Amino acid sequence: MAGTEGKGAAAPSKLDLDVAAGFVGFALFVASSVGFFVVAPRLLAHVVDAFPLRLCGSLGMMAAFGVICLAAHAIARGRCVALLAMAAVGVAALAGMLLLPGVSALAALVLAAVAGAGLAALATLWFTVVCAQQHRIVLLFVSMAVGVGAAGCLAMLFLVDHAARFALATAWAASWACLLALVRKRPDKALPPVIGNRESDKRSKILWTSTIMLSVNSFEFGILLGTAPSESEVVACLVAAALAAALLSLDFSRRRLVTERSLSPLVPPVTVVAFLLLYLFGEAATWVSLCLLAVLFAVYSTFGLAAMAEHARISRLSLPRTFGKARFLDYVGLSLGLACGFAIAQLAAASEMDAVRATAVVAIAYGFVASYCHKARFPDTSMEEGGHSALPEAKGLWKKRCRAVSEECGLSERQYEVLVLVAQGRNAKYIEQALTISLSTAQTHIRNIYRKTGVHSRQELLDLIEDTKLYGEE
């Protein structure tokens, strides 16, 4: 990176320490958020049933994300003090729910909703940290955190009751503390920029199909929570999710052979088979289907978060608004999935055949939705040759690649504007007139762009831009 050239390798850079601190805090956030839905209901089973507790938590998160989306501009302008305070209240609510003796069922449900709202605020701030990571490490950063978080949640399941309560509350509090440290030390990497909602919405190109797929993914997670009642099934699901995330991390750190585009044709049939196997062939098939659903949830959560971060960063969107809008719909899906999973589990207790019919209906509906979304998200259109195409979406994609190169190589905003014009084949004289700068300034910008990107000609620069693949590209 341009910002670390010539500084030597005697000591870790501040950026490396920021990445390490961000990774630890984000992994703890993943562990505590999964533990909130998996571990906490088991610890409070003697007080309240798992279904209403999970539902209250998901509804609290859904409501909080809706508020964050609507008040995004005010939240960012206020330096996110409201989000930090809401996250702190969530930590206190979770600690009260888990650690206070004699908590009643009603109090547990109220505290779960408050804790869910705090978790939503914490998630929004951690999304800002993910967006601040270098372009090439976002997928690795997210997949490793998901793997470590799933492993951490798995470890909590093997702790004795009091230790598990303390561990879950401590993980959540430590994640908040890591975020607070980042806000204090490097607010540019932990706080979102202030972007007007109208301007953000005009630039947003997020397809509704992507949002639908992520919401369906959360719906699957809800069904998974409702239909994996035994301890051994939950352990198997967490192990499968952790292994899937670890394999993704290994792939991203090497050749990156696995992409959402390459997996997308396989996901609908695999998911349909998983739903059909849920109650059709006995306990062994149920284990396999639950593990498949857990793997799919881990994989698509990783891809979905990385895609949203890249799109929001490159398109200069309002981070709280973009994330809040998408996650609000995700938790609508999760709430519906919890209700559906609970209903299927009740049907299975009364009649296995009724449960088979219900999962078959879910599988068929999912197959139609996934098939439609795949075609809309990955149309069979060829990319432009050298970045010059008559298609508006191709031009926009080329410009986003230029933005990714600019961020990766540490170019200034003016140098990015010059980069776009140079990539279009414009010379220094044209750039002088287009940007209203002197000819010598335009030439200086071009030389600095070549130096920072490490190229020596326009063709090498075009090759660099062409080789910079965005999320979802082969």
Side-chain angles (χ1 to χ4, degrees):
M1 292 296 296
T4 58
E5 288 178 358
K7 293 185 180 180
S13 67
K14 189 174 184 179
L15 178 61
D16 294 332
L17 293 176
D18 289 339
V19 172
F23 172 77
V24 171
F26 186 57
L28 288 172
F29 163 74
V30 174
S32 56
S33 58
V34 177
F36 179 58
F37 289 102
V38 175
V39 179
R42 297 178 181 278
L43 297 175
L44 297 171
H46 63 287
V47 175
V48 63
D49 291 338
F51 169 66
L53 190 70
R54 287 167 174 159
L55 187 61
C56 284
S58 65
L59 291 176
M61 295 188 74
M62 183 179 69
F65 279 124
V67 173
I68 289 168
C69 173
L70 295 175
H73 186 67
I75 288 172
R77 190 176 54 198
R79 303 292 287 170
C80 294
V81 175
L83 291 183
L84 286 168
M86 190 187 301
V89 171
V91 172
L94 180 77
M97 184 175 70
L98 295 177
L99 302 179
L100 288 180
V103 176
S104 64
L106 179 60
L109 294 177
V110 172
L111 289 173
V114 175
L119 189 62
L122 194 61
T124 305
L125 289 169
W126 277 118
F127 177 70
T128 303
V129 175
V130 172
C131 288
Q133 302 307 311
Q134 298 174 15
H135 166 70
R136 297 185 185 277
I137 70 167
V138 170
L139 275 169
L140 181 63
F141 183 91
V142 174
S143 60
M144 289 180 64
V146 169
V148 173
C153 183
L154 180 65
M156 293 179 197
L157 285 175
F158 289 98
L159 297 175
V160 296
D161 185 279
H162 294 293
R165 291 169 184 265
F166 182 76
L168 181 55
T170 301
W172 202 328
S175 177
W176 181 83
C178 288
L179 184 61
L180 184 62
L182 279 175
V183 169
R184 285 178 169 273
K185 298 287 184 181
R186 292 292 297 273
D188 58 313
K189 299 186 77 64
L191 296 178
V194 181
I195 299 176
N197 292 343
R198 291 181 180 178
E199 184 181 3
S200 173
D201 285 342
K202 288 180 181 177
R203 287 199 296 265
S204 179
K205 303 294 182 183
I206 295 178
L207 292 175
W208 273 104
T209 48
S210 295
T211 305
I212 291 172
M213 281 303 294
L214 288 174
S215 300
V216 170
N217 190 40
S218 298
F219 175 81
E220 293 172 14
F221 181 54
I223 290 183
L224 187 66
L225 290 172
T227 54
S230 70
E231 193 83 16
S232 55
E233 288 173 339
V234 173
V235 170
C237 289
L238 287 174
V239 169
L243 289 176
L247 291 175
L248 278 181
S249 302
L250 184 63
D251 178 68
F252 296 152
S253 65
R254 295 179 178 272
R255 295 187 178 183
R256 194 177 167 184
L257 299 176
V258 180
T259 63
E260 187 187 5
R261 189 181 187 116
S262 64
L263 288 178
S264 190
L266 301 175
V267 171
V270 171
T271 308
V272 168
V273 169
F275 279 126
L276 292 177
L277 291 178
L278 204 53
Y279 292 104
L280 200 56
F281 294 108
E283 186 177 354
T286 300
W287 277 51
V288 172
S289 61
L290 290 174
C291 289
L292 281 176
L293 290 175
V295 167
L296 292 173
F297 177 73
V299 169
Y300 264 78
S301 295
T302 299
F303 279 125
L305 185 59
M308 196 184 306
E310 181 169 288
H311 177 81
R313 185 183 68 250
I314 292 177
S315 300
R316 293 295 189 265
L317 303 180
S318 170
L319 301 185
R321 183 170 178 80
T322 302
F323 187 70
K325 184 188 299 185
R327 298 304 288 171
F328 171 79
L329 294 174
D330 290 350
Y331 278 90
V332 170
L334 177 61
S335 300
L336 292 175
L338 285 169
C340 187
F342 176 76
I344 291 174
Q346 295 300 311
L347 283 175
S351 171
E352 290 283 345
M353 188 53 63
D354 288 339
V356 170
R357 293 192 186 100
T359 52
V361 170
V362 172
I364 293 171
Y366 175 84
F368 279 112
V369 172
S371 177
Y372 164 75
C373 292
H374 169 71
K375 291 180 180 178
R377 294 167 80 198
F378 302 113
D380 295 328
T381 56
S382 58
M383 286 304 302
E384 69 276 16
E385 185 66 29
H388 303 287
S389 171
L391 294 175
E393 61 270 21
K395 291 180 180 179
L397 182 57
W398 184 257
K399 194 171 182 179
K400 287 185 177 183
R401 286 181 182 174
C402 289
R403 174 66 74 179
V405 169
S406 173
E407 292 184 349
E408 191 70 21
C409 299
L411 304 185
S412 65
E413 189 64 26
R414 176 62 82 180
Q415 288 170 345
Y416 161 70
E417 295 172 356
V418 174
L419 172 66
V420 172
L421 294 174
V422 171
Q424 292 174 352
R426 307 301 186 181
N427 57 23
K429 188 68 176 175
Y430 180 91
I431 294 172
E432 172 195 9
Q433 298 173 355
L435 300 182
T436 319
I437 57 178
S438 66
L439 180 62
S440 61
T441 301
Q443 292 170 339
T444 300
H445 281 318
I446 294 173
R447 285 196 299 269
N448 288 336
I449 289 171
Y450 282 11
R451 176 179 58 81
K452 288 185 176 182
T453 56
V455 302
H456 303 89
S457 66
R458 188 189 304 274
Q459 186 57 50
E460 289 184 13
L461 184 62
L462 292 176
D463 291 341
L464 175 64
I465 297 171
E466 181 67 27
D467 291 339
T468 301
K469 300 300 183 184
L470 301 178
Y471 177 84
E473 292 187 76
E474 294 290 359

